[in-house]
Amino acid sequence: MQGLEEIKAKLDKTDEKIIELIDKKRELIKLISKAKYKEITAEFICKEYMDFDIKRVVYQGVEGAYSHIVTKKLFPDVETENVNTFEDAINEVLNGNAKYCIIPIENSSAGIVSDVYDLLLKKDVVIVAEYDLHISHCLLGVRGAKPDDIRTVYSHPQALMQCSAYLKEHPGWSQISLLNTAVSAKKVRDDKDISQAAIASRLSGDLYDLDVLDEGINRNANNTTRFVVLSKEKIFSKKSNKLSLILELPHEKGMLYNILGIFVLNGLNLVKVESRPIPEKTFEYRFFIDIEGNLSLSNVSNVLEILKKEVTFLKILGNYCSVK
């Protein structure tokens, strides 16, 4: 029995040491100087994204695209223009031809838009707002077409994924990816082929004079796409409550675990971690991380300072909030 008591006493002492080390780490984090933190965020200013003189906003796709719908909701009185690709939209902002661009970044059913994540890494733009749009896809065909006539379906890859369960019910239909849902609707209209259909919004059907052959074909009733407003002005507001970061970590054992612990120790809620491969490093990954917080808060400044010391690459993608 004496041996068991000695073991228990040693375990208790070990627990006390672990708690002591955690407490010391917390205190060390609190004492970190903010001087270097200011270097990280020096370019960010506190200003509402709507407080600028907004003359032009761009979106990817054509009229009737979901990006077009979001753009008109957020900027109903501003001149809007469509471009062909996500990169074109971002370049319009970087070149000063537009104040903002609207781009889809994630869908609740199909996941991230990987091309957009790659562009956010390469391009010097930041997220200044986000908007969640409920998506209800329709199957659109030329006037007089019926579902039995369809042989080929066009849409954006994300829309095809979101409707995968429905499309599996029609194994005889070929699926072809295009740049945009509305572009797909326009093609069906222009080709005037009764065997072609597009997966797009009801608005696209109205704009391109197509019949709705079926609706609500995404089986997830909660299907939602997250859109972001991108700017070359590095701004955040007092209301901003989400901070998005890109991290690259040293390829060392336990590194990701240690980095995630930094957020916990600072009382920050980590709401998303998305990994993307680093092409030039075989089976190594960079991480896109979303946390709740504002750049003006001390615990956020502590985290950014620690990350700057611990990671090999750090980029702030934006500090923003959701708009209705």
Side-chain angles (χ1 to χ4, degrees), residues 184-247:
S184 303
K186 185 175 182 295
K187 175 178 173 53
V188 171
R189 182 203 64 181
D190 293 344
D191 288 353
K192 298 181 175 62
D193 186 340
I194 200 171
S195 71
Q196 293 182 1
I199 292 175
S201 66
R202 177 176 281 275
L203 175 61
S204 291
D206 294 338
L207 287 171
Y208 298 108
D209 195 31
L210 300 174
D211 280 345
V212 176
L213 308 184
D214 207 346
E215 58 185 330
I217 63 174
N218 43 280
R219 294 308 193 199
N220 179 4
N222 296 317
N223 189 34
T224 301
T225 296
R226 177 184 166 216
F227 290 81
V228 290
V229 181
L230 300 181
S231 168
K232 70 174 181 179
E233 308 284 348
K234 291 180 171 56
I235 57 172
F236 72 103
S237 76
K238 294 178 181 178
K239 297 184 294 184
S240 297
N241 56 12
K242 182 184 284 188
L243 182 68
S244 293
L245 309 170
I246 303 178
L247 307 179

Side-chain angles (χ1 to χ4, degrees), residues 20-79:
E20 184 181 349
L21 285 171
I22 291 173
D23 288 340
K24 284 182 178 179
K25 191 169 184 179
R26 287 182 195 270
E27 290 303 314
L28 180 61
I29 289 170
K30 290 178 183 178
L31 292 172
I32 290 175
S33 169
K34 296 182 183 179
K36 291 185 179 179
Y37 155 71
K38 289 178 181 177
E39 294 175 11
I40 303 173
T41 60
E43 294 179 309
F44 281 82
I45 60 170
C46 189
K47 185 172 183 177
E48 294 287 344
Y49 79 101
M50 291 297 288
D51 288 347
F52 290 90
D53 181 18
I54 307 167
K55 294 181 178 178
R56 186 167 176 264
V57 176
V58 298
Y59 62 92
Q60 183 270 338
V62 297
E63 276 194 284
Y66 292 107
S67 295
H68 174 232
I69 294 171
V70 172
T71 302
K72 297 309 292 183
K73 283 180 179 290
L74 296 182
F75 303 97
D77 302 318
V78 176
E79 177 193 345

Side-chain angles (χ1 to χ4, degrees), residues 268-279:
L268 291 175
N269 185 28
L270 194 152
V271 294
K272 180 182 177 65
V273 179
E274 188 78 40
S275 64
R276 294 282 296 146
I278 303 175

Side-chain angles (χ1 to χ4, degrees), residues 68-103:
H68 174 232
I69 294 171
V70 172
T71 302
K72 297 309 292 183
K73 283 180 179 290
L74 296 182
F75 303 97
D77 302 318
V78 176
E79 177 193 345
T80 62
E81 189 169 334
N82 62 301
V83 293
N84 289 329
T85 68
F86 297 138
E87 187 166 14
D88 289 340
I90 291 174
N91 286 341
E92 285 291 291
V93 172
L94 290 174
N95 294 334
N97 297 325
K99 189 66 184 176
Y100 301 123
C101 66
I102 312 298
I103 286 183

Side-chain angles (χ1 to χ4, degrees), residues 160-172:
L160 294 172
M161 284 190 285
Q162 292 161 32
C163 299
S164 59
Y166 176 82
L167 292 170
K168 283 179 182 177
E169 297 169 8
H170 303 277

